[in-house]
């Protein structure tokens, strides 16, 4: 089972998923539930699947990748969507609808991100249900799949009730909201657990959030709960007067600022390390280009001196 959620912002698609897979209802393993493929350096496909029969996820991924690889090297969004639709229908028709009765039919859901690279960056998010493929609505900018679907949506609706909040927010902020949602789902829903995977597709590029980044956000959420409980206890206690609420509120703000300072310090350190890495990479590329430049022969040097 799985919890997978996806967001679309003004310039990005964010996918988040857990990594726990339950085999035969009791054996727990870890699996990569978001897979990314770049096609001919022109476009990219990211898939996250949920099913109580994981072999159908693997079958769909294999079939759709083969079909897309053989369809052409250029990026054609409509062609790609039609291939995905046809593959979904084929899998359901051959392996699910005919072989299983309505009572024992396995569920099969997908979140599918399509990212254009060349000639122009673009992004879209699709989701599937019972063999049908749908675009994520501009009224939501959100979709979720898996056993934790209902809880994830309830938390999203509470945190981000307006789709405009999602669309107009920076991708990194929405990614952190995704971590927050999955943290709660993993704590509450059996079958959802393991590490949280976060993929950000933005402006023709993509990056995975590192487990260090994810754990920093999860630790910040965990650190926030004691002061939240204290604030709510004071709020609901009729014996605590207005001044008492102010004191508890100030303590809550102080605690939040400590967490914020830790996150900011880590982000500054990460940014500094990235800048050092980028400078080293630029220097390496410059040295490589210089080494690849043709050097004048001895005869040419002689002519130059003459």
């Amino acid at each position: 089972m799985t919890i997978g959620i996806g967001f679309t912002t003004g310039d990005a698609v964010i996918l988040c998923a857990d990594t726990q897979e339950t085999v035969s209802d009791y054996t727990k393993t870890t699996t990569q539930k978001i897979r990314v493929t770049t096609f001919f350096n022109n476009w990219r496909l990211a898939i996250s699947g949920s099913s109580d029969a994981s072999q159908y996820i693997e079958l769909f991924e294999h079939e759709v990748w083969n079909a897309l690889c053989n369809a052409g090297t250029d990026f054609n969004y409509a062609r790609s969507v039609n291939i995905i639709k046809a593959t979904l229908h084929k899998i359901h028709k051959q392996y699910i609808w005919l072989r299983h009765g309505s009572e024992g039919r396995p569920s099969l859901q997908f979140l599918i991100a399509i990212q254009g690279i060349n000639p122009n960056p673009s992004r879209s998010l699709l989701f599937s249900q019972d063999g049908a493929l749908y675009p994520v609505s501009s009224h939501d900018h959100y979709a979720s799949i898996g056993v934790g679907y209902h809880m994830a949506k309830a938390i999203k609706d509470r945190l981000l009730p307006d789709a405009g909040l999602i669309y107009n927010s920076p991708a990194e902020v929405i990614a952190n909201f995704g971590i927050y949602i999955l943290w709660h789902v993993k704590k509450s829903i059996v079958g959802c657990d393991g590490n949280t995977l976060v993929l950000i597709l933005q402006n023709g590029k993509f990056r995975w959030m590192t487990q260090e980044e994810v754990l920093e956000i999860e630790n910040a959420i965990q650190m926030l709960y004691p002061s939240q409980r204290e604030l709510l206890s004071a709020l609901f206690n009729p014996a605590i007067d207005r001044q008492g609420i102010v004191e508890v509120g100030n303590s809550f703000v102080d605690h939040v600022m400590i967490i914020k300072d830790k996150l900011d310090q880590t982000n500054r350190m990460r940014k500094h390390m990235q800048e050092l890495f980028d400078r080293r990479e630029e220097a390496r590329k410059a040295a490589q280009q210089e080494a690849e430049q043709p050097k004048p022969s001895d005869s040419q040097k002689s002519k130059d001196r003459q």
Side-chain angles (χ1 to χ4, degrees), residues 43-277:
W43 62 288
R44 188 172 287 120
L45 186 75
I47 300 175
S48 180
S50 172
S51 178
D52 42 13
S54 61
Q55 67 269 24
Y56 294 125
I57 297 176
E58 297 172 2
L59 178 62
F60 169 76
E61 290 174 344
H62 176 76
E63 293 283 337
V64 80
W65 286 333
N66 281 343
L68 290 169
C69 282
N70 294 319
T73 60
D74 62 313
F75 175 49
N76 185 310
Y77 177 77
R79 181 182 65 204
S80 300
V81 170
N82 287 335
I83 289 173
I84 294 168
K85 284 182 178 179
T87 306
L88 273 171
H89 184 79
K90 173 185 173 183
I91 297 296
H92 280 78
K93 183 178 180 180
Q94 293 184 357
Y95 301 100
I96 296 179
W97 292 331
L98 295 181
R99 297 189 181 187
H100 302 275
S102 59
E103 294 297 324
R105 183 176 295 169
S107 65
L108 183 61
Q109 299 173 294
F110 291 99
L111 290 172
I112 302 172
I114 301 176
Q115 182 185 42
I117 303 172
N118 290 312
N120 298 306
S122 61
R123 87 287 178 273
S124 67
L125 180 60
L126 311 168
F127 69 98
S128 75
Q129 177 67 45
D130 196 28
L133 187 68
Y134 307 94
V136 169
S137 169
S138 59
H139 297 293
D140 297 317
H141 294 296
Y142 169 86
S144 56
I145 59 172
V147 68
Y149 159 83
H150 291 291
M151 183 176 184
K153 189 176 187 305
I155 298 172
K156 190 279 299 182
D157 288 344
R158 187 173 71 245
L159 293 174
L160 300 164
D162 182 356
L165 292 173
I166 300 173
Y167 185 83
N168 295 314
S169 294
E172 299 287 342
V173 172
I174 297 301
N176 289 338
F177 271 115
I179 295 170
Y180 180 93
I181 292 170
L182 259 68
W183 185 85
H184 281 278
V185 173
K186 291 190 301 180
K187 292 288 184 182
S188 305
I189 304 296
V190 175
C192 302
D193 208 346
N195 295 330
T196 292
L197 302 175
V198 182
L199 176 69
I200 301 174
L201 301 138
Q202 186 174 29
N203 297 326
K205 301 178 181 179
F206 79 101
R207 87 169 187 94
W208 296 97
M209 288 187 70
T210 66
Q211 279 306 300
E212 181 184 40
E213 292 175 283
V214 172
L215 287 173
E216 286 168 5
I217 299 301
E218 291 181 334
N219 289 338
I221 298 167
Q222 186 73 49
M223 290 172 62
L224 194 58
Y225 265 81
S227 57
Q228 282 183 315
R229 284 195 299 270
E230 184 179 353
L231 183 62
L232 288 174
S233 295
L235 182 65
F236 298 148
N237 188 345
I240 296 180
D241 60 13
R242 186 181 184 89
Q243 182 58 36
I245 290 292
V246 170
E247 292 175 359
V248 174
N250 288 338
S251 176
F252 175 80
V253 171
D254 290 342
H255 188 64
V256 169
M257 291 311 300
I258 291 172
I259 298 172
K260 175 64 173 172
D261 288 343
K262 288 183 177 180
L263 290 174
D264 288 346
Q265 183 180 7
T266 303
N267 287 333
R268 285 193 299 269
M269 184 179 301
R270 184 180 296 112
K271 183 179 179 180
H272 177 66
M273 295 302 295
Q274 185 63 48
E275 289 173 350
L276 290 177
F277 175 82

Side-chain angles (χ1 to χ4, degrees), residues 2-71:
T2 294
I3 174 60
I5 62 177
F7 300 91
T8 58
T9 70
D11 63 355
V13 170
I14 299 99
L15 295 179
C16 309
D18 71 332
T19 57
Q20 179 177 284
E21 181 176 10
T22 304
V23 182
S24 301
D25 293 329
Y26 63 90
T27 303
K28 296 178 180 179
T29 63
T30 297
T31 187
Q32 182 77 17
K33 294 185 181 180
I34 303 176
R35 300 183 185 276
V36 187
T37 304
T38 302
F39 293 85
F40 310 106
N41 290 322
N42 287 328
W43 62 288
R44 188 172 287 120
L45 186 75
I47 300 175
S48 180
S50 172
S51 178
D52 42 13
S54 61
Q55 67 269 24
Y56 294 125
I57 297 176
E58 297 172 2
L59 178 62
F60 169 76
E61 290 174 344
H62 176 76
E63 293 283 337
V64 80
W65 286 333
N66 281 343
L68 290 169
C69 282
N70 294 319

